[in-house]
Amino acid sequence: MFDNINLNPDAMPQSLSKVYVHITYSTKDHYPFLDSQIRPRIFEYLGGICKGLECYPIKIGGHIDHVHVLCLLSRKVSQMKLVEELKKQSSQWAKKVEPKYSKFSWQRGYGIFSVNPKEVDVVKRYIENQDIHHKKMTFKDEFRKFLKNYNIDYDERFVWN
Protein backbone atom coordinates (compact mmCIF):
# COMPACT_ATOMS: atom_id res chain seq x y z
CA MET A 1 0.00 0.00 0.00
CA PHE A 2 2.86 2.42 0.75
CA ASP A 3 5.33 1.05 -1.79
CA ASN A 4 5.59 4.34 -3.73
CA ILE A 5 6.74 6.49 -0.77
CA ASN A 6 10.19 8.02 -1.22
CA LEU A 7 12.06 7.33 2.02
CA ASN A 8 15.21 9.21 1.07
CA PRO A 9 16.96 9.96 4.41
CA ASP A 10 18.71 12.97 2.83
CA ALA A 11 15.45 14.67 1.81
CA MET A 12 14.89 17.90 3.71
CA PRO A 13 11.33 18.38 4.97
CA GLN A 14 9.82 21.75 4.11
CA SER A 15 7.09 23.79 5.71
CA LEU A 16 5.95 26.26 3.09
CA SER A 17 3.56 29.13 3.53
CA LYS A 18 2.51 32.27 1.69
CA VAL A 19 -0.45 33.87 3.43
CA TYR A 20 -1.16 37.52 2.72
CA VAL A 21 -3.16 39.40 5.35
CA HIS A 22 -4.74 42.83 5.46
CA ILE A 23 -4.99 44.17 9.00
CA THR A 24 -6.89 47.28 9.99
CA TYR A 25 -7.69 48.93 13.29
CA SER A 26 -8.43 52.37 14.65
CA THR A 27 -7.06 54.66 17.30
CA LYS A 28 -9.02 54.49 20.55
CA ASP A 29 -12.33 56.33 20.19
CA HIS A 30 -11.23 57.23 16.62
CA TYR A 31 -9.18 60.08 18.01
CA PRO A 32 -7.26 61.78 15.14
CA PHE A 33 -3.78 61.04 16.54
CA LEU A 34 -2.29 60.15 13.15
CA ASP A 35 -1.54 63.65 11.96
CA SER A 36 0.90 64.40 9.15
CA GLN A 37 3.79 64.61 11.62
CA ILE A 38 3.54 61.11 13.09
CA ARG A 39 1.74 59.20 10.35
CA PRO A 40 4.72 58.37 8.08
CA ARG A 41 6.86 57.60 11.10
CA ILE A 42 4.36 55.23 12.67
CA PHE A 43 3.86 53.46 9.33
CA GLU A 44 7.61 52.92 9.15
CA TYR A 45 7.66 51.74 12.75
CA LEU A 46 4.85 49.25 12.07
CA GLY A 47 6.86 47.94 9.12
CA GLY A 48 9.83 47.39 11.41
CA ILE A 49 7.68 45.42 13.83
CA CYS A 50 6.44 43.25 10.95
CA LYS A 51 10.02 42.60 9.80
CA GLY A 52 11.06 41.70 13.33
CA LEU A 53 8.34 39.06 13.40
CA GLU A 54 9.30 37.80 9.92
CA CYS A 55 6.01 39.09 8.52
CA TYR A 56 7.24 40.84 5.38
CA PRO A 57 5.40 44.20 5.08
CA ILE A 58 4.10 45.02 1.61
CA LYS A 59 2.20 48.25 2.26
CA ILE A 60 1.32 50.17 5.39
CA GLY A 61 -0.91 53.21 5.34
CA GLY A 62 -4.02 54.69 6.78
CA HIS A 63 -5.72 57.90 7.69
CA ILE A 64 -5.93 60.24 10.65
CA ASP A 65 -7.66 57.68 12.89
CA HIS A 66 -6.67 54.21 11.64
CA VAL A 67 -4.08 52.05 9.93
CA HIS A 68 -3.96 49.35 7.27
CA VAL A 69 -1.16 46.79 7.20
CA LEU A 70 -0.70 44.48 4.21
CA CYS A 71 1.91 41.83 4.92
CA LEU A 72 2.89 38.21 4.55
CA LEU A 73 2.03 36.28 7.68
CA SER A 74 5.05 34.34 8.91
CA ARG A 75 4.41 30.66 9.46
CA LYS A 76 6.00 31.17 12.89
CA VAL A 77 3.55 33.84 14.15
CA SER A 78 -0.16 33.64 14.87
CA GLN A 79 -2.51 36.34 13.63
CA MET A 80 -3.28 37.36 17.20
CA LYS A 81 0.40 37.66 18.14
CA LEU A 82 1.18 39.78 15.08
CA VAL A 83 -1.61 42.26 15.81
CA GLU A 84 -0.85 42.29 19.53
CA GLU A 85 2.78 43.20 18.87
CA LEU A 86 1.92 45.79 16.21
CA LYS A 87 -0.44 47.57 18.57
CA LYS A 88 1.57 47.22 21.77
CA GLN A 89 4.96 48.23 20.40
CA SER A 90 3.71 51.08 18.21
CA SER A 91 1.56 52.51 21.01
CA GLN A 92 4.49 52.48 23.44
CA TRP A 93 6.68 54.14 20.82
CA ALA A 94 4.13 56.82 19.85
CA LYS A 95 3.64 57.91 23.46
CA LYS A 96 7.34 58.81 23.61
CA VAL A 97 7.55 60.74 20.32
CA GLU A 98 6.16 64.01 21.71
CA PRO A 99 4.00 65.07 24.66
CA LYS A 100 0.97 65.58 22.38
CA TYR A 101 0.95 61.81 21.73
CA SER A 102 1.30 60.83 25.40
CA LYS A 103 -2.25 59.45 25.51
CA PHE A 104 -1.95 57.57 22.22
CA SER A 105 -3.62 54.17 22.10
CA TRP A 106 -5.31 51.84 19.68
CA GLN A 107 -8.81 50.43 19.89
CA ARG A 108 -8.96 46.99 21.51
CA GLY A 109 -10.38 45.21 18.48
CA TYR A 110 -9.11 44.79 14.93
CA GLY A 111 -9.89 43.22 11.60
CA ILE A 112 -7.60 40.80 9.82
CA PHE A 113 -8.56 39.55 6.39
CA SER A 114 -6.99 37.08 3.99
CA VAL A 115 -5.86 38.41 0.64
CA ASN A 116 -5.75 36.39 -2.56
CA PRO A 117 -2.20 36.58 -3.98
CA LYS A 118 -3.70 37.82 -7.26
CA GLU A 119 -5.32 40.74 -5.40
CA VAL A 120 -2.25 42.00 -3.52
CA ASP A 121 -1.73 44.91 -5.93
CA VAL A 122 -5.39 45.90 -5.59
CA VAL A 123 -5.12 46.01 -1.79
CA LYS A 124 -1.80 47.84 -2.02
CA ARG A 125 -3.37 50.57 -4.19
CA TYR A 126 -6.34 50.73 -1.84
CA ILE A 127 -4.02 51.42 1.09
CA GLU A 128 -2.02 53.98 -0.90
CA ASN A 129 -5.20 55.96 -1.59
CA GLN A 130 -6.54 56.24 1.95
CA ASP A 131 -6.62 60.04 2.08
CA ILE A 132 -8.67 60.20 -1.12
CA HIS A 133 -10.85 57.29 -0.07
CA HIS A 134 -11.72 58.87 3.29
CA LYS A 135 -13.02 62.06 1.74
CA LYS A 136 -16.09 59.97 0.92
CA MET A 137 -16.24 57.30 3.62
CA THR A 138 -15.57 57.08 7.36
CA PHE A 139 -13.45 54.34 8.91
CA LYS A 140 -16.58 52.83 10.46
CA ASP A 141 -18.27 52.59 7.06
CA GLU A 142 -15.08 51.20 5.54
CA PHE A 143 -14.79 48.56 8.26
CA ARG A 144 -18.46 47.58 7.94
CA LYS A 145 -17.84 47.10 4.21
CA PHE A 146 -14.94 44.72 4.93
CA LEU A 147 -17.09 42.76 7.38
CA LYS A 148 -19.86 42.49 4.79
CA ASN A 149 -17.47 41.50 1.97
CA TYR A 150 -15.97 38.76 4.15
CA ASN A 151 -19.40 37.68 5.39
CA ILE A 152 -18.46 38.19 9.04
CA ASP A 153 -21.22 38.30 11.62
CA TYR A 154 -20.67 40.98 14.25
CA ASP A 155 -22.37 42.91 17.00
CA GLU A 156 -22.12 46.65 16.35
CA ARG A 157 -21.98 47.32 20.11
CA PHE A 158 -18.58 45.66 20.40
CA VAL A 159 -16.82 46.55 17.16
CA TRP A 160 -15.67 50.07 17.96
CA ASN A 161 -13.98 49.83 21.37
Side-chain angles (χ1 to χ4, degrees):
M1 173 160 97
F2 296 105
D3 295 338
N4 293 333
I5 294 178
N6 181 359
L7 298 176
N8 179 352
D10 297 324
M12 184 76 147
Q14 293 184 3
S15 298
L16 306 172
S17 173
K18 193 162 196 176
V19 177
Y20 293 97
V21 292
H22 178 186
I23 305 162
T24 188
Y25 50 88
S26 173
T27 56
K28 186 173 181 177
D29 299 324
H30 304 281
Y31 189 84
F33 273 118
L34 302 176
D35 59 28
S36 60
Q37 183 180 358
I38 197 170
R39 198 178 320 168
R41 295 170 65 193
I42 204 162
F43 296 165
E44 185 176 332
Y45 197 84
L46 289 165
I49 297 166
C50 286
K51 288 175 189 174
L53 294 169
E54 298 180 30
C55 295
Y56 178 71
I58 297 164
K59 187 67 184 173
I60 299 174
H63 196 56
I64 195 110
D65 65 349
H66 69 280
V67 296
H68 292 265
V69 176
L70 174 62
C71 67
L72 276 169
L73 182 64
S74 169
R75 63 183 178 82
K76 300 175 188 176
V77 177
S78 70
Q79 294 177 24
M80 183 180 76
K81 184 65 174 175
L82 171 59
V83 176
E84 176 185 322
E85 290 302 317
L86 285 169
K87 291 166 80 173
K88 180 178 76 174
Q89 290 183 41
S90 63
S91 180
Q92 289 171 348
W93 172 83
K95 288 175 183 180
K96 296 174 187 171
V97 169
E98 255 187 58
K100 71 179 182 176
Y101 304 116
S102 65
K103 297 195 184 294
F104 185 96
S105 65
W106 299 111
Q107 74 174 106
R108 290 187 344 202
Y110 61 89
I112 186 166
F113 309 98
S114 59
V115 177
N116 180 324
K118 295 178 181 177
E119 298 294 319
V120 167
D121 286 338
V122 172
V123 176
K124 186 177 170 184
R125 280 191 305 275
Y126 180 82
I127 293 171
E128 288 170 349
N129 292 314
Q130 282 293 292
D131 286 334
I132 295 167
H133 178 73
H134 285 290
K135 288 180 180 177
K136 300 175 187 171
M137 181 181 287
T138 67
F139 172 72
K140 286 184 176 185
D141 289 339
E142 175 184 50
F143 197 76
R144 285 184 194 106
K145 187 175 174 183
F146 281 121
L147 296 174
K148 183 179 179 187
N149 288 345
Y150 280 86
N151 199 26
I152 297 174
D153 293 327
Y154 65 97
D155 186 330
E156 185 85 21
R157 296 174 299 168
F158 305 109
V159 174
W160 310 119
N161 57 11

